[in-house]
Structure formats: structure tokens, C-alpha cells
Amino acid sequence: MSDIDKDFTIVQERLEDWVKTSLPCSANGRVAAYIPELSKAPSDALGIYILDKQGQALSAGDCGLQFTMQSISKVFTLILALMDKGEKAVFSKVGMEPTGDNFNSMLKLELVRPGIPFNPLINAGAIAISSLIDGVSPAEKSARVLSFFRSLASNDSLDYDEDVYRSESETANLNRSMGYLLKDNGVLEGDVDEVLDVYFRHCSINVNCADLSRMALVLAFDGADPITGERLIPRRYVQIAKTFMTTCGMYNASGEFAIQVGLPAKSGVSGGILTMVPGRYGIGVVGPALNAKGNSIAGVQLLETIAQELDWSLF
Ligand code: GLN
């Protein structure tokens, strides 16, 4: 029996139990409400989907739940911007360092010179990245993003949640002010509202845990989909993305996640978490109730349990 099969047999037996024991801590979290539409998500849901390179999957809990990618999408727009513009152009607009601040903070854009976002996974950085996606119009840029995400998820039906998109666009005063500040700092090219539209669109792409696991699997295998054999991302750009996921992917709880779980990951305020065991599994998790740092409270608890039980930490 290979290592993978052995893990899978063990996990199959215990995954449901781990979901059951992690779920109660959702009661200590809250579903995001600053984007009004997100508040409709069930606060007591928790699901996980684990996919291996042969396409074998394990799942438990509410893994059929649909949710929007939110900040998880930032990993893949970063990759697309790197593929479109190259490393030099991208890193002239965003830095490579964690902030230790909230994901939507604009504090350092004024405090630290030059006023470029510290990294591409905070809101300011992802907004800057949206302006680097190739395309003659916001619609074309968004269409390219969606089609890239569809190919990574091997799912041509991935689409926007129009209600979440509208809800964010109508209430995003903070992100809009950040966009204008970035424009003034010389970071954003083009029209601020058009750049923000590309950003809101990619945050509102609807997925389930299986979609996230498939996208994660491509990263786990350095950019080549192990199921189809197709190379979708140059290896170097996956390396960059995985490093950012490790240092900044769980916002200002990334250090704690690295210690407790030890895997590259990216969370979103809809309660999704995309993570992977490099060379082995792609993993999608959802649990809409969030902790104070904006990460799925039960999702993090579940990943801590599994990673410790199966000794998944890379460190
Ligand atoms: N669209 C969300 C926002 O800009 C994404 C944030 C997140 O998932 N942390 O606020």
C-alpha cells in the first residue's frame, strides 16, 4: 500500500469524526456581514474535500455548500498577473512581506515609503494585482480570470455569484478608498473603478470544496495538473504563490497557522480555505463562521487536528 493509500484509509475512517469534533467551535465565530450578502451563509456548516493525484477524493461534512472565493481568488490572480506581466513588473507594484495588520488595512500605505502594498494577498495588494491582468477592458480582464480559474478547477461551469458581487460593489467604501490612495501613490494603472470591478468580480466567483481542492492540487504539483498531465502554471510562479500563502495566506494569523498546521493556505471571508500537502493532496475547506482574524474558526480547528494527527506539517 502506498503512503497515499495508507493516509486515505486512515482518514476515511476518521474524517467524519474530526468534522464533528471541530464543528462546535463555529459557535464562537461569526459569519462575515460587512458584505451584506455573505451574512446569509449558514454559521454552523463545516465541510472538507481532499483530492489526490489519481483523482481519488475523501470528503466529509457540508462539502456541497457553494460559497464565493473572496480572498482565495487573490492567489490565482497573482499567478495570472505573473504569467501576463512577469516577476519584475509585478514586484514593482507589490512587495513580498507580511504586514501583521488586518487584511483590509491601509495603514502602511501611508506610513511606509514607497507606498506600495506590502504583499499581493492583502486587499491593497490584490487590488494592485487586478490592474496588472491583461485585457483591453474590465470585462475582458474578468473573462480571462474566470477562464483561468475554470481551467484550474477543471470546471467550465464556475461562475460569479451576482448577488455577492453586487453586494460587495455597493458597500465597498474601504476598498474604494484604498483604490484611490493606490492611484495617488502611482501604484494603479488606469481607471480606479474599473480596476475595482475586476477585483470584486474575482472575489465573487462561486465554488465548492471540490473546486478548491482541484485548484489546490495543481499548486501541490507545481503547476501541472496531475490528473490530466497538463501544465497550467510555470513552476516558478507556483513557488512564489505557495511562499506567499505560507507567510501571508491566513492574514495576520499566518504565523500561528504555520506553527499549528504547517501547510501553505489561503482563506477568504466567506469561510473557505484552500490548502495543500505539496506533492500529495489538494484540499478545500469551508466553514462560514469566522474568528477575529477573518479565518474560518472551525475550518482552522479541523485543519489543525488533521495536520497534527497525520503529521502533515512541512516544517
Ligand atoms: N472581497 C473581500 C474584501 O475585499 C475579500 C476579503 C477577504 O476574503 N479577506 O473585503
Side-chain angles (χ1 to χ4, degrees):
M1 196 185 274
S2 73
D3 243 16
I4 290 181
D5 292 337
K6 207 166 76 204
D7 256 15
F8 259 55
T9 314
I10 301 168
V11 176
Q12 192 112 42
E13 289 161 4
R14 298 171 69 192
L15 201 59
E16 288 288 349
D17 280 350
W18 290 331
V19 167
K20 271 194 208 113
T21 53
S22 304
L23 186 57
C25 73
S26 327
N28 303 323
R30 295 179 79 132
V31 175
Y34 76 99
I35 298 173
E37 196 63 26
L38 293 184
S39 66
K40 296 181 179 166
S43 62
D44 56 352
L46 178 63
I48 182 163
Y49 200 96
I50 306 175
L51 184 64
D52 81 0
K53 66 176 179 189
Q54 283 117 15
Q56 293 187 89
L58 290 176
S59 62
D62 304 295
C63 52
L65 188 71
Q66 293 281 325
F67 53 96
T68 50
M69 289 181 80
Q70 298 302 331
S71 282
I72 298 170
S73 60
K74 296 168 178 174
V75 172
F76 301 100
T77 50
L78 165 67
I79 291 172
L80 187 57
L82 285 163
M83 289 165 70
D84 284 348
K85 299 284 197 311
E87 264 180 77
K88 202 161 161 255
V90 167
F91 292 116
S92 70
K93 302 291 185 190
V94 295
M96 299 183 184
E97 304 303 333
T99 60
D101 300 328
N102 290 341
F103 64 86
N104 55 6
S105 171
M106 43 206 262
L107 192 69
K108 294 208 165 78
L109 291 177
E110 241 199 320
L111 267 187
V112 180
R113 293 284 146 206
I116 65 170
F118 264 43
N119 69 68
L121 299 187
I122 51 171
N123 284 12
I127 293 168
I129 292 293
S130 299
S131 78
L132 295 171
I133 305 289
D134 280 349
V136 293
S137 61
E140 189 182 320
K141 289 174 199 240
S142 290
R144 289 189 65 249
V145 171
L146 184 59
S147 118
F148 183 52
F149 285 27
R150 284 176 174 173
S151 68
L152 294 167
S154 287
N155 181 355
D156 282 341
S157 62
L158 279 199
D159 220 329
Y160 307 109
D161 182 324
E162 292 291 342
D163 295 333
V164 172
Y165 161 73
R166 225 170 299 119
S167 182
E168 175 161 19
S169 180
E170 284 166 8
T171 55
N173 299 317
L174 190 57
N175 281 334
R176 281 187 199 284
S177 51
M178 221 175 300
Y180 282 97
L181 182 56
L182 290 171
K183 175 81 183 176
D184 209 59
N185 285 2
V187 175
L188 287 197
E189 311 278 339
D191 181 84
V192 178
D193 285 311
E194 290 189 359
V195 171
L196 285 164
D197 195 67
V198 175
Y199 173 77
F200 300 143
R201 281 254 163 234
H202 70 67
C203 287
S204 73
I205 293 174
N206 219 15
V207 290
N208 58 28
C209 289
D211 296 316
L212 288 189
S213 73
R214 188 63 190 266
M215 298 175 91
L217 191 72
V218 175
L219 301 183
F221 285 84
D222 292 327
D225 183 333
I227 297 173
T228 62
E230 195 184 346
R231 170 150 302 277
L232 298 167
I233 308 167
R235 183 171 177 276
R236 169 67 182 157
Y237 299 152
V238 176
Q239 190 176 51
I240 293 172
K242 284 196 295 199
T243 310
F244 276 124
M245 290 169 79
T246 306
T247 57
C248 322
M250 301 298 281
Y251 314 125
N252 42 345
S254 298
E256 186 180 344
F257 191 86
I259 288 172
Q260 304 296 7
V261 180
L263 300 173
K266 182 74 204 87
S267 63
V269 284
S270 50
I273 303 175
L274 176 152
T275 185
M276 81 208 72
V277 184
R280 296 168 79 189
Y281 313 126
I283 300 168
V285 173
V286 66
L290 307 179
N291 62 23
K293 300 274 175 77
N295 296 316
S296 169
I297 191 163
V300 169
Q301 172 64 53
L302 176 63
L303 287 169
E304 283 182 14
T305 305
I306 303 178
Q308 280 157 24
E309 293 277 349
L310 300 182
D311 195 20
W312 272 353
S313 174
L314 301 179
F315 307 111

